[in-house]
Amino acid sequence: MGVLARIGSAVGIGPAPVTVTPSGPLAPRAGYMRDGRGTVFSRWLPALRSSRDDVAVAWTAAAARTVEMWQNNGWISGMIDQATANTVGGGLRLRAMPENDLFGMDEKAAQDWRKLVEAKWELWSNTPLECDIEGRLTIPQMTEAAFKMWVVFGEILAELPYRIRRGSKTGTKVRLLSPTRIVNRSDAFSRLHSGVRVDADGMPMSYVVSRDNPLTGTEEFEVIARDSYGRPKVIHVFSGLPGQTRGIGILVAILRVAKQFDQLADATLLASIIQTVFAASIESEAPTEDTLRALLNPKEQALLLAQGGTPFDIFMAAKDGWGEGHPIDVGFAGRIAHMFPGEKLQFHSPEQPATAYKEFSLHLLREMARCLGLTYESATRDYEGATYSSVRMAVNEIFAITKARRKFILSPFLQPIYEAWLEEKIDAGEIPFPGGVANFIANRAAACRSKWTGDPKPVADDLKAAKTHELYRNMGIMSDQTIADDLGLDIEDEYAQRARESGLREEYGLPDNFYPQSLTATEQIENQPDEGANDGGNPDT
């Protein structure tokens, strides 16, 4: 059918189009993405590759863009600081948990051993000359820097050299390195993937890294991952999919969003500046010469007659002065005393840009906060419309991410350091161990079993949280250890401190309890003034 025939049939002129019916029944269709030829999927055809190859191609550009955004975007920088404070806090605390049954230690001996190890670890990890190869940072400070490296680069890189310096007793040191030191080069023939050389099973065997040479400039060399005793020499921590050998920063998913936020802010600022500039025009039936003369005050008109110029020259000179920082004030006293008959002065201002800046900017901020594992309120400090229930629910959900990052990112960074330090201390005889260092090496995993704890989960209302703990404890489904874990405390330390304080109170004749015995903790909380009394009766505020 021709074009004219199709048009005619569409408007009811000419013969109707012939409909061709298929000879057989339609074949049934099912499956995912059936609309493969529609507008949604027609041009959406990303390449499917292994995550290792994707990371290798995008790592350098992603790292450079993330660093630039971290250095120049206040929102991103503040959110990274907040995520670091939530996850690391003042540093993760060691809780030694060895399998003492394997070494012939009873519970009392194992408890004394744990206290000795934890005390010596705290002393070593907080002395920069002992733990840092550069003698500048403590282990908590290194943990903070390592977490920021993971956020920006997607991985943590460090090495464990051995060096005893004057003033230090321990040779185990930590050197924190930038992940950019790993050479992003691959060679399938030698099993080198993005600077990491692996064996046939995919286990890292060595790392190709770069360093500065004062004579030859930058040079490459290879560092083995573990020594002959199995002690790690390189710490390389990242999260990813099976087959990956390098990590990538978590901010990669929101780089475009962060750039959009900057563009939105710049465009909004530019629109606000433009709106402060207005233009004026005069509609008049009088000749242009008379109209321009009316814009001059008497002094300028006298100058015009003395110099022999034209009103147009004076007007253009005034416009030049606008560009030089001397604006024309059309409202200057005496500038326009009155208008000629038939004239009308109009002020022109650009229309307000039709954009919902606040709504769109909040959407972008929420996406950035979600990517960094923060609540919107924590990331922006904007608690407008937030209630106790909403904040509590948001904190509970986000804190699960915080715990996962402590367990899967920071603990693998701290554990090799702890194992290397403990091996040296046992070998030196400073920490006793059944069977000596040989038995320790043979049972390293069982002897070094530990848990790294951080700051407790933040609560929106301490009184309500205490009431919840007491209720669960009285029901018999929560122990003192669990309550102490929720508060970020060590139950043995708290019991020991309470015993010491009880002895001091007895020595000085003080009562053993500061609260009346007739009131339970719940009754004491209920007798406290209601902080939400002025919240309009909203129980969730």
Side-chain angles (χ1 to χ4, degrees):
M1 181 184 295
V3 177
L4 295 178
R6 287 199 300 268
I7 296 176
S9 63
V11 297
I13 303 176
V18 179
T19 303
V20 179
T21 305
S23 58
L26 293 176
R29 298 178 61 188
Y32 298 105
M33 299 180 293
R34 289 183 298 170
D35 189 20
R37 297 181 180 179
T39 58
V40 177
F41 297 113
S42 60
R43 298 184 179 181
W44 186 15
L45 298 172
L48 184 60
R49 298 182 297 183
S50 66
S51 57
R52 181 179 65 193
D53 295 335
D54 284 338
V55 171
V57 172
W59 195 94
T60 302
R65 291 170 181 169
T66 304
V67 170
E68 195 276 336
M69 191 64 64
W70 177 29
Q71 293 173 344
N72 297 284
N73 187 296
W75 284 109
I76 294 296
S77 178
M79 289 181 186
I80 291 178
D81 289 340
Q82 187 63 55
T84 304
N86 292 351
T87 307
V88 181
L92 301 192
R93 183 175 180 178
L94 169 67
R95 180 180 296 175
M97 303 171 61
E99 293 288 350
N100 52 288
D101 294 339
L102 297 177
F103 316 120
M105 292 189 296
D106 56 18
E107 185 61 31
K108 181 63 172 61
Q111 182 178 352
D112 294 339
W113 189 85
R114 288 196 297 267
K115 289 182 178 180
L116 176 64
V117 170
E118 292 172 2
K120 287 186 173 293
W121 166 264
E122 183 177 2
L123 177 63
W124 177 83
S125 63
N126 286 280
T127 306
L129 191 61
E130 293 283 356
C131 62
D132 185 12
I133 191 68
E134 299 178 358
R136 297 187 300 107
L137 302 177
T138 63
I139 293 298
Q141 290 174 315
M142 293 184 194
T143 306
E144 180 184 25
F147 181 79
K148 289 182 177 180
M149 283 199 306
W150 175 77
V151 172
V152 175
F153 298 104
E155 52 191 8
I156 301 172
L157 181 65
E159 64 174 336
L160 295 174
Y162 185 91
R163 185 169 303 167
I164 297 181
R165 287 196 174 102
R166 180 180 300 177
S168 65
K169 299 181 180 180
T170 310
T172 301
K173 299 290 188 294
V174 181
R175 177 183 282 118
L176 203 60
L177 299 172
S178 172
T180 57
R181 295 281 297 274
I182 300 180
V183 178
N184 190 18
R185 189 179 71 249
S186 300
D187 181 11
F189 182 77
S190 60
R191 298 196 183 99
L192 180 66
H193 303 287
S194 299
V196 182
R197 198 177 304 278
V198 299
D199 61 7
D201 298 321
M203 181 177 178
M205 302 301 296
S206 61
Y207 296 84
V208 179
V209 298
S210 63
R211 64 181 176 187
D212 296 331
N213 189 310
L215 299 178
T216 62
T218 304
E219 63 179 7
E220 297 181 4
F221 66 103
E222 197 158 343
V223 181
I224 60 174
R226 293 178 178 271
D227 61 14
S228 57
Y229 293 96
R231 172 175 169 167
K233 295 182 67 65
V234 177
I235 301 175
H236 186 217
V237 181
F238 65 93
S239 59
L241 300 177
Q244 276 188 226
T245 55
R246 298 286 300 275
I248 195 165
I250 62 174
L251 295 179
V252 173
I254 60 167
L255 286 177
R256 183 167 176 262
V257 176
K259 206 64 178 176
Q260 288 175 341
F261 187 87
D262 284 346
Q263 293 173 347
L264 176 64
D266 293 341
T268 305
L269 176 62
L270 180 61
S272 300
I273 294 176
I274 292 176
Q275 290 167 12
T276 61
V277 180
F278 62 88
S281 65
I282 297 177
E283 295 181 3
S284 175
E285 297 177 358
T288 303
E289 186 81 7
D290 297 338
T291 304
L292 293 176
R293 190 183 302 275
L295 293 174
L296 306 179
N297 57 28
K299 183 178 179 180
E300 292 171 340
Q301 292 182 14
L303 181 63
L304 174 64
L305 294 175
Q307 295 179 350
T310 64
F312 183 79
D313 295 334
I314 299 297
F315 179 74
M316 293 306 297
K319 291 193 66 175
D320 291 339
W322 176 282
E324 296 176 0
H326 303 285
I328 301 174
D329 188 356
V330 297
F332 181 75
R335 174 75 66 174
I336 302 177
H338 62 277
M339 300 304 297
F340 294 104
E343 292 180 348
K344 182 172 65 174
L345 179 66
Q346 293 183 347
F347 292 92
H348 306 279
S349 178
E351 297 182 358
Q352 191 77 10
T355 176
Y357 171 76
K358 182 177 180 180
E359 289 75 9
F360 188 57
S361 62
L362 294 183
H363 169 73
L364 297 178
L365 289 174
R366 283 190 174 93
E367 186 171 353
M368 289 190 288
R370 187 64 184 87
C371 182
L372 280 164
L374 299 172
T375 63
Y376 167 77
E377 293 79 11
S378 176
T380 63
R381 315 308 300 165
D382 178 16
Y383 287 88
E384 181 181 358
T387 64
Y388 170 78
S389 298
S390 64
V391 172
R392 184 172 181 270
M393 180 62 67
V395 168
N396 288 340
E397 293 177 349
I398 291 298
F399 192 68
I401 299 177
T402 300
K403 292 193 297 184
R405 289 175 175 175
R406 289 174 180 174
K407 183 174 182 179
F408 301 125
I409 302 299
L410 296 182
S411 293
F413 166 69
L414 293 170
Q415 186 67 23
I417 302 174
Y418 167 62
E419 293 182 10
W421 168 83
L422 184 59
E423 178 183 346
E424 180 183 359
K425 290 298 181 182
I426 293 176
D427 188 27
E430 296 185 29
I431 295 179
F433 191 83
V437 68
N439 193 30
F440 169 83
I441 295 175
N443 300 275
R444 182 188 299 271
C448 296
R449 191 169 74 96
S450 61
K451 184 177 181 181
W452 299 92
T453 59
D455 293 340
K457 178 179 66 177
V459 294
D461 192 320
D462 291 332
L463 294 179
K464 292 183 179 180
K467 185 175 180 179
T468 302
H469 283 150
E470 185 198 28
L471 178 63
Y472 284 149
R473 186 176 184 274
N474 293 339
M475 293 173 61
I477 60 176
M478 182 175 285
S479 63
D480 291 350
Q481 177 68 61
T482 305
I483 297 175
D485 290 342
D486 286 347
L487 300 177
L489 304 173
D490 186 276
I491 190 63
E492 295 183 5
D493 293 344
E494 296 304 313
Y495 282 164
Q497 182 64 27
R498 288 180 59 184
R500 289 191 293 269
E501 293 177 357
S502 179
L504 288 175
R505 284 195 293 267
E506 182 179 356
E507 179 181 352
Y508 289 100
L510 299 176
D512 193 53
N513 195 340
F514 295 103
Y515 296 101
Q517 297 291 337
S518 58
L519 293 179
T520 64
T522 302
E523 294 170 337
Q524 295 163 15
I525 294 174
E526 292 176 348
N527 290 338
Q528 297 289 332
D530 187 6
E531 296 180 357
N534 298 324
D535 293 331
N538 185 358
D540 291 336
T541 304

